[in-house]
Amino acid sequence: MESADAVKQHVYEQFIRFLHVYESFSDTEIDHFLSIAERERIENFPHNITAVHVIDCIGRHEPINSTAIAGKMELSKASITKIGGKLLADGLVERMQLNDNKKESYFRLTPQGKKIFDLHERIHANEAERLHRFLDKYSAVEMKIIGSFLKDYSAEMELRISGGTAKR
């Protein structure tokens, strides 16, 4: 039987391999989005998949503020503030205030942001179906462990990125 340290080392090695493969996949994925966006004449398409997912979150819940986006996406508010600023500068989202709350800013999609939202929704549905087929080979218990690992390690990585302000 393998020692716990040997199993941890194996997990680490597989995780590093996953990161390398995923980085290549992410480059391909964003290139795929960009090629479709270009074909459909969608301008200012973000070159960062997380920014596309922020657009998706805004499109599904608008009007929505940074705190709510961070909560729904399980990212830090600092990450959302940074991405939101870039999306504002690119003309993909706009800030607004609700009549009953002049203190707080909310995001909503511009017409250009809506085009990206619609494209993402189409492509995301195909990818979700593909992942669901892949996960069919795992039991419910195994998928729960996989989900727990991904959630916990994502929080750990975000904590490192944000310098200690990640949500736990």
Side-chain angles (χ1 to χ4, degrees), residues 4 40 76 121:
E40 295 186 14
S76 69
E121 195 168 56

Side-chain angles (χ1 to χ4, degrees), residues 140-160:
V141 170
E142 289 170 321
M143 285 189 285
K144 190 169 184 151
I145 291 167
I146 292 165
S148 180
F149 169 80
L150 291 172
K151 180 181 178 186
D152 291 349
Y153 206 68
S154 294
E156 175 69 22
M157 289 170 43
E158 188 174 47
L159 183 63
R160 291 164 134 192

Side-chain angles (χ1 to χ4, degrees), residues 122-140:
R122 289 192 326 257
I123 292 173
H124 201 266
N126 291 336
E127 289 301 317
E129 184 179 316
R130 187 175 309 170
L131 179 62
H132 290 178
R133 281 193 311 269
F134 173 79
L135 290 172
D136 283 343
K137 66 182 172 180
Y138 297 99
S139 71

Side-chain angles (χ1 to χ4, degrees), residues 65-68 70-71 75-83 104 158 165 167:
N65 64 22
S66 294
T67 302
L75 294 172
S76 69
K77 190 170 178 209
S79 295
I80 299 304
T81 299
K82 182 178 178 182
I83 294 167
E104 196 163 12
E158 188 174 47
T165 60
K167 182 177 136 183

Side-chain angles (χ1 to χ4, degrees), residues 37-49:
E38 185 178 317
R39 190 171 58 235
E40 295 186 14
R41 300 191 192 327
I42 298 173
E43 298 173 8
N44 293 338
F45 195 91
H47 288 67
N48 175 307
I49 204 68

